[in-house]
């Protein structure tokens, strides 16, 4: 055993507390917990602890803290930045929330749900829907990602433009702190000004300040009408103008406004079987519009048609199709959601999850495209994402004839070019994916000075031994 | 000079930095800064510093911190809990933001406003309105309360049911930290996951972790239709049912849902000249409904009439009036807003700013009323407030024949009875007014253990010398 292995008494003690189902120690069992979804990191762990209650999670953390052993919380392990994998040296225990997935309470009168961290986001959505409500958070990995994970990373997704990020849906939390104390902050209150807002500190902290074991989430009324349209546009500026018109017309109804570049759409149509462009001709830019309302007879369709007709008349929109059935709605969303898969099939790509103020998205698209094309002739800009909230997945596909490895060898150079533009536009280098293990090195440059200093003070104050998710978020 | 006075060199140094307009030292000038709005506290200060920039504010705090002198940030000084007054011993400097009130940026495309902390909430609302937008935060003291104050106390008010609390409107902050560092976090991003969410730590911290000097606020589209109704109801349960029906019908439209008791309405009609009940007969319970929509032709009036007609038909509502003019709208709001003044004119009263889950408001009203009436026969329950967000101002008016001083001598006994019920209903002892200097003693009982321990760790980490707003929030 390497000398980084945890003290010999730890695993038997954990086993005694957690029972046979509660501790995995065989490599075959622990392996899936050691690699991230993007396969950027491959760690090792002597054990995966699977507590069934907050009390058990508290015992695990207290025991590890007493011995100085790092604890890596893990939900669905869908991090895009290696936020949930243990280190390579085998020194850290993985704490899986998989056995904590009960819906503890769901109250349609309060429009709140109290749910454990290990439930998948999809399970939480389904429970809300059964009660006639909507949990308004939706991300591609929702079938695997967990409530604890999406809160710890402040997930965003498609509906941020209307309902905000995960952070905006949290009323209360239950958290096991780095010293093993359990904070029961599962309050269901819409107003409560009694001291510091701790819940928002744990949301987005990526498990470095404690482990979220349960949460009270706000629900929204279930939509009764949904309309989806797909538009071809002459420019990014036209896309922004269309978004502004929709919001002007009925701001509460705009549930998603997604941008896609012509280059990305070409790849989707080329590689994804069954995809068809629902328009008469390809264009340089596209937008997906989703409107929804919980109000019956809201005239959603008529409103959408009115906005699109005016936009077609003055050239803001080149062509548009409104989905007439659930099948058509799904087909349109598929054009957007298959962007990542299509890129993968085409060749090597470099991903940037960036954000800028909404008004500056067109400038981002133009300037970052020019910067990348100047750096590497033939590079293909596959920019797409949540224009309505300023978050663009500014991905770059290798030039057609280039060797993938040679392309990927220049990944940091490409990312730096994109980020230079993002920075000049007052944007962020990580809009919704977080920092994890991939990007702590960027923190001093982007969040240095008073901001990083304050974060580090908080980390030391709450986790002086550095037990919680070591090596993540902070450099 | 008492030995608690600040070091002799401090005031001349401050004067040199801030200039003649920037430092008040005469008692006649500093007096208004030393007493709170409710006149619960009367402090003393050797000087009121009035910086014109974040840099000057930073100098003030750095100088005070170096000498161990406490700094009390003050906006409009409208705290209900003595949150902005200096101590009686004359040891603390007041830091007024009154000279920092510029609108630094307002972008209708981004729907954001960057504004300095000393601007009044009303000035911020007006600037947003001029740009065709709405700053959706409204409280009674908005003409005096400042942006920095409403953020530092996470103000709530009438529109929380629709737009959330002050916390929900903040995208970015500029903060002078307890060591004088300036954190420029004035980002205008809807998505940004790059480390801990510091802004939400400063919002609601009541100036104990630093001074907010500017903020980026989210704006909403300006409403184009508003409808206001006033209803008589048979019970608190009927009020909750009416709220649920309105939300079911058109959740995005419910901008305010205010409850008032029959006893409170009697006092308003008795003491406030020009007030008239817009219904045929008095009732035991009332609700004020405000619907609003930024969408033209939304059928708001027809929807409201449909809900009210059905509620009248089945007895949920006893009588209802819909305002037909701005004058009528103002008159209805006045019935609600004059509750505090009417209570004052009637005699002595005890105030409780409490919250419970929305579904439990009727139970709160019944049980807390019974508890107070059992404690003191003849006591009058003047409960009113924001039923739609669970926040009730559960005020008690003295029995008619009782001596006011004798009544007030039992204030803690009365508050304790109310709070016992609040606690059993998983509520909070301070919904929107905060903790300030009045309620830190309640923190151990209500927020003790892991929660208070974590707050204290954060306070020590960010403000190890205890410079910022000493004696507030934490016990």
């Amino acid at each position: 055993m390497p000398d980084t292995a945890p003290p010999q008494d730890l695993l038997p003690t954990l086993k005694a507390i957690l029972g046979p189902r509660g501790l995995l120690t065989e490599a075959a069992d622990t392996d899936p917990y050691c690699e991230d979804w993007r396969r950027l990191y491959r760690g090792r762990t002597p054990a995966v602890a699977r507590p069934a209650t907050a009390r058990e999670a508290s015992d695990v953390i207290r025991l590890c803290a007493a011995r100085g052993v790092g604890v890596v919380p893990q939900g669905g392990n869908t991090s895009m930045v290696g936020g949930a994998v243990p280190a390579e040296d085998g020194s850290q225990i993985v704490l899986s929330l998989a056995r904590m997935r009960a819906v503890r309470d769901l109250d349609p009168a309060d429009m709140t749900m109290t749910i454990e961290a290990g439930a998948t986001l999809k399970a939480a959505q389904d429970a809300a829907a059964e009660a006639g409500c909507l949990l308004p958070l939706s991300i591609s990995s929702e079938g695997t990602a967990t409530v604890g994970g999406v809160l710890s990373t402040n997930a965003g997704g498609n509906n941020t433009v209307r309902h905000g990020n995960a952070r905006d849906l949290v009323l209360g939390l239950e958290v096991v702190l780095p010293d093993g104390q359990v904070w029961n902050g599962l309050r269901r209150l819409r107003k409560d000004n009694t001291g510091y807002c701790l819940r928002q500190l744990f949301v987005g902290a990526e498990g470095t300040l404690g482990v979220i074991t349960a949460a009270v989430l706000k629900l929204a009324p279930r939509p009764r009408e949904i309309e989806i349209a797909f538009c071809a546009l002459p420019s990014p500026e036209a896309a922004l103008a269309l978004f502004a018109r929709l919001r002007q017309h009925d701001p509460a109804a705009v549930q998603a406004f997604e941008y896609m570049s012509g280059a990305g759409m070409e790849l989707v149509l080329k590689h994804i079987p069954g995809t068809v462009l629902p328009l008469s001709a390809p264009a340089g830019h596209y937008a997906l519009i989703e409107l929804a309302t919980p109000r019956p007879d809201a005239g959603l369709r008529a409103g959408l048609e009115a906005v699109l007709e005016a936009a077609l008349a003055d050239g803001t929109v080149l062509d548009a199709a409104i989905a007439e059935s659930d099948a058509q709605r799904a087909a349109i969303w598929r054009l957007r959601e298959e962007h990542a898969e299509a890129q993968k099939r085409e060749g090597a790509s470099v991903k940037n999850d960036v954000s800028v103020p909404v008004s500056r998205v067109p400038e981002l698209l133009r300037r970052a495209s020019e910067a990348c094309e100047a750096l590497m002739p033939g590079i293909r800009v596959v920019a797409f994402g949540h224009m309505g909230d300023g978050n663009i997945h500014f991905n770059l596909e290798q030039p057609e004839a280039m060797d993938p490895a040679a392309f990927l060898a220049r990944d940091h150079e490409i990312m730096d070019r994109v980020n230079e533009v993002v920075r000049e536009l007052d944007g962020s280098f990580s809009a919704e994916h977080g920092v994890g293990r991939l990007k702590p090195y960027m923190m001093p440059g982007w969040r240095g000075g008073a901001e990083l200093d304050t974060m580090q003070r908080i980390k030391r104050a709450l986790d002086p031994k550095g037990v919680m998710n070591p090596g993540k978020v902070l450099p």
Side-chain angles (χ1 to χ4, degrees), chain A residues 69-107:
Chain A
V69 172
V71 177
V72 180
Q74 192 173 106
N77 197 19
T78 59
S79 173
M80 300 289 278
V81 289
V85 288
E88 286 79 0
D89 66 2
S91 66
Q92 299 166 353
I93 299 288
V94 173
L95 179 74
S96 166
L97 280 299
R99 289 173 71 206
M100 292 187 66
R101 47 190 179 199
V103 176
R104 293 193 194 163
D105 180 77
L106 201 161
D107 189 333

Side-chain angles (χ1 to χ4, degrees), chain A residues 222-377:
Chain A
R222 186 173 48 88
R224 297 193 210 168
E225 284 183 23
I226 293 181
E227 295 289 348
I228 289 174
F230 189 81
C231 306
L233 299 146
S235 65
E237 288 77 11
L240 186 66
L242 179 62
F243 171 63
R245 287 188 203 182
L246 288 163
R247 208 172 41 172
Q248 191 68 21
H249 180 76
D250 189 358
V254 183
Q255 179 147 289
F257 190 90
E258 299 284 308
Y259 170 85
M260 288 151 278
S261 72
M265 191 57 61
E266 268 179 44
L267 297 185
V268 170
L269 297 170
K270 175 177 169 189
H271 290 291
I272 309 296
T275 54
V276 178
L277 190 70
L279 304 171
S280 53
H285 310 272
Y286 300 95
L288 183 160
I289 300 163
E290 182 172 287
L291 306 183
T293 172
R295 189 180 152 212
D297 314 316
L300 209 58
R301 175 65 176 250
L304 177 59
E305 284 173 354
V307 171
L308 289 179
E309 273 164 30
L312 281 160
D314 67 16
T316 303
V317 167
L318 301 174
D319 193 5
I322 301 181
E324 300 290 349
S325 65
D326 283 347
Q328 288 186 6
R329 281 187 266 277
I332 287 177
W333 263 113
R334 200 163 165 231
L335 294 174
R336 160 66 181 81
E337 283 171 349
E338 293 286 6
H339 265 65
E341 182 62 26
Q343 272 196 280
K344 199 190 248 181
R345 295 191 190 178
E346 177 72 8
S349 65
V350 172
K351 295 180 198 293
N352 297 281
D353 168 47
V354 300
S355 62
V356 293
V358 178
S359 63
R360 309 193 86 170
V361 171
E363 203 179 342
L364 166 71
L365 292 171
R366 285 194 188 282
R367 289 178 54 185
S369 298
E370 283 163 18
C372 292
E373 285 156 4
L375 177 72
M376 187 185 289

Side-chain angles (χ1 to χ4, degrees), chain A residues 44 75-76 79 86 91 93 132 170 200 209 211 217 221 243 258 287 294 303 326 333 346 407 435 474:
Chain A
R44 283 197 305 123
S79 173
S91 66
I93 299 288
V170 179
Q200 297 295 4
L209 298 177
V211 183
L217 303 177
F243 171 63
E258 299 284 308
D326 283 347
W333 263 113
E346 177 72 8
F407 176 73
V435 179
L474 299 179

